[in-house]
Amino acid sequence: MSQNRRDFIKRGTSLAAISSVGVNMNSASNCFTPSAEIVKDAGMQMCLAYFWGIEPHKVALARQMDVLGAVGGINPRMVGMDNVPNWEYDVIKKVQQAWKNEGLTLRVIEGPPSLYTKTKLGLEGRDEEIANFITFMENISRLGIDTVCYNWMPVISWARTTLDKPSRGGALVSSFRTEGIEDEPLITEYGELTKDKMWTNMEYFLKAVVPEAEKYGVKLALHPDDPPIDNIRGIPRIMTSVAAFKRLIEIVPSASNGLTFCQGSFASMGAEGEGENIPAAIEYFGKRSKIHFVHFRDVRGHKDNFEETFHDDGKTDMYRAMQAYYDVGFRGPIRPDHVPTMAGDSNERPGYSTIGALFAIGYIRGLMEGVTKNST
Ligand code: CS2
Ligand code: MN
């Protein structure tokens, strides 16, 4: 008998005791009897992101919501090991233990150690970076961690032109407009960069690390470029379309070479009127078992002008998206991504409001239960 069912029966017993002074709640007709066991979160592993270490309030709420997966980087300072490289076994082990002490499991490393500008731009020193990255993969596999979310955005990572745009009811969201960014100064210190070079650098990286990832059972999950535009201040962006991800998985075909399906990023791809088809993309990559991690969020607009939204307020049919993950058999880690900053929260970490995350988890869990029941 499952824990749920046992809890239910226990609850039923105490209700019966209370009901002796009132209505008989224990009569079969009034009783809620689950017809089938509910598969928790459709078999997926719901996580929350913690990029600022252990945030006690968020962690407490996560435990209450029963969202026990943690996503984050490896920060030696979090465990008092200031000067130790963050790919080393002892640091990772201590960070993992710190999460365990909170009742959480470090499920995905997002923003991994030793994968920086040298590798992404093919600069001198990349082989050392790559060697350390391989050591990192070996170490996480020894500790039972198998998913790594990385990106191919050197120098400028995720970017927005506004971080406090009023949205529904005055909640704050981030937004992006291409117009005007052409006037920003070019970054010239890395010489002339082209998309071709970026692809060549990625190929070099993948050929070196994917066979090792396979050996260690590690799943690499490349995150799309956000925003998915061609270039920011002279730094080209290549992971900006479904076609680019199709190319990625062909470079080194392997169960370890996959992607983070950041739905909000995919939803913002394409010019006005030319967006990607989200359920079709989930199906394409999911059927090939290339979706190793999901960022569940939404936007309104297109690559040159978009804003983030509440999960129930964007351009994507979120129910169909969840149905697609479920139908292709995705059962891996999933987290809400950026959320609006809601009343009572500060906007000092745009996209990562604790209260916003509560709404997101409730919404996502509801969709998960919906697709599970619809399929039984
Ligand atoms: C996010 C990133 O842009 C996105 O879609 O997933 O902001 C992510 O939170 C950061 O790059 C940290 O990994
Ligand atoms: Mn994302």
Side-chain angles (χ1 to χ4, degrees):
M1 191 186 292
S2 84
Q3 187 64 42
N4 280 350
R5 186 99 179 110
R6 249 179 279 131
D7 286 352
F8 171 72
I9 289 171
K10 251 191 351 218
R11 233 181 311 137
T13 313
S14 54
L15 279 176
I18 294 164
S19 70
S20 65
V21 292
V23 186
N24 184 2
M25 300 279 289
N26 209 24
S27 83
S29 59
N30 284 338
C31 233
F32 165 69
T33 312
S35 56
E37 296 282 339
I38 294 169
V39 177
K40 179 81 191 301
D41 294 342
M44 301 176 205
Q45 294 136 44
M46 191 100 90
C47 302
L48 276 171
Y50 302 88
F51 296 118
W52 296 270
I54 293 165
E55 297 166 64
H57 185 213
K58 196 170 177 182
V59 166
L61 294 172
R63 280 193 299 258
Q64 292 178 355
M65 294 188 290
D66 200 15
V67 173
L68 303 182
V71 173
I74 301 294
N75 182 354
R77 256 170 300 161
M78 179 175 152
V79 289
M81 294 177 84
D82 266 19
N83 294 314
V84 185
N86 56 349
W87 54 83
E88 282 194 0
Y89 180 81
D90 287 349
V91 181
I92 304 169
K93 192 179 160 132
K94 284 211 169 134
V95 170
Q96 182 187 42
Q97 187 58 47
W99 288 112
K100 260 190 206 147
N101 296 344
E102 297 295 328
L104 303 189
T105 301
L106 181 56
R107 180 66 186 80
V108 178
I109 311 286
E110 180 168 334
S114 202
L115 176 46
Y116 306 119
T117 313
K118 288 177 188 160
T119 302
K120 294 176 193 176
L121 292 182
L123 307 175
E124 211 190 307
R126 74 169 150 178
D127 288 336
E128 196 185 331
E129 255 186 28
I130 289 173
N132 293 333
F133 185 83
I134 291 170
T135 305
F136 157 72
M137 292 196 299
E138 179 183 358
N139 289 337
I140 57 169
S141 87
R142 284 171 64 197
L143 291 162
I145 302 169
D146 70 358
T147 310
V148 177
C149 171
Y150 70 108
N151 69 61
W152 214 258
M153 291 180 280
V155 191
I156 297 174
S157 182
W158 77 282
R160 295 287 185 266
T161 45
T162 309
L163 290 170
D164 55 358
K165 185 167 185 184
S167 180
R168 190 169 69 194
L172 303 176
V173 297
S174 73
S175 66
F176 178 81
R177 279 181 85 91
T178 302
E179 196 190 331
I181 67 157
E182 298 92 342
D183 305 332
E184 305 233 339
L186 292 181
I187 296 167
T188 53
E189 64 187 278
Y190 303 103
E192 202 217 336
L193 303 170
T194 63
K195 283 181 182 255
D196 278 351
K197 279 189 196 162
M198 301 275 285
W199 278 111
T200 310
N201 298 338
M202 179 182 285
E203 191 171 328
Y204 185 91
F205 168 77
L206 292 172
K207 288 197 164 143
V209 302
V210 171
E212 301 294 319
E214 244 177 49
K215 196 162 90 194
Y216 297 123
V218 166
K219 293 177 181 169
L220 296 169
L222 180 57
H223 189 285
D225 293 354
D226 179 23
I229 57 171
D230 270 357
N231 191 298
I232 298 188
R233 299 179 57 196
I235 312 284
R237 298 194 150 217
I238 54 173
M239 301 315 294
T240 56
S241 63
V242 167
F245 281 87
K246 289 182 176 171
R247 180 170 169 182
L248 164 84
I249 61 173
E250 298 302 327
I251 293 176
V252 182
S254 159
S256 289
N257 181 21
L259 60 131
T260 295
F261 201 94
C262 177
Q263 222 181 271
S265 298
F266 278 98
S268 54
M269 287 172 183
E272 194 165 9
E274 292 177 354
E276 301 283 10
N277 179 331
I278 298 294
I282 294 170
E283 202 177 301
Y284 183 90
F285 295 110
K287 274 192 174 155
R288 291 163 177 78
S289 301
K290 297 297 173 195
I291 301 179
H292 291 165
F293 183 30
V294 173
H295 280 183
F296 203 76
R297 72 170 165 91
D298 208 2
V299 298
R300 225 184 346 255
H302 50 87
K303 74 180 172 66
D304 294 311
N305 185 8
F306 65 85
E307 68 180 72
E308 298 192 346
T309 66
F310 279 100
H311 280 77
D312 62 338
D313 201 24
K315 66 191 279 193
T316 307
D317 182 335
M318 300 298 251
Y319 180 79
R320 277 198 66 208
M322 187 58 81
Q323 185 81 59
Y325 294 117
Y326 187 73
D327 288 347
V328 293
F330 174 78
R331 299 292 184 270
I334 175 168
R335 72 166 179 87
D337 202 1
H338 303 162
V339 294
T341 297
M342 296 182 73
D345 244 349
S346 95
N347 198 34
E348 63 184 327
R349 291 163 187 166
Y352 290 97
S353 152
T354 299
I355 299 174
L358 299 187
F359 178 76
I361 292 287
Y363 182 89
I364 295 170
R365 181 163 282 162
L367 286 184
M368 287 167 162
E369 190 169 331
V371 300
T372 317
K373 291 209 167 143
N374 213 17
S375 311
T376 48

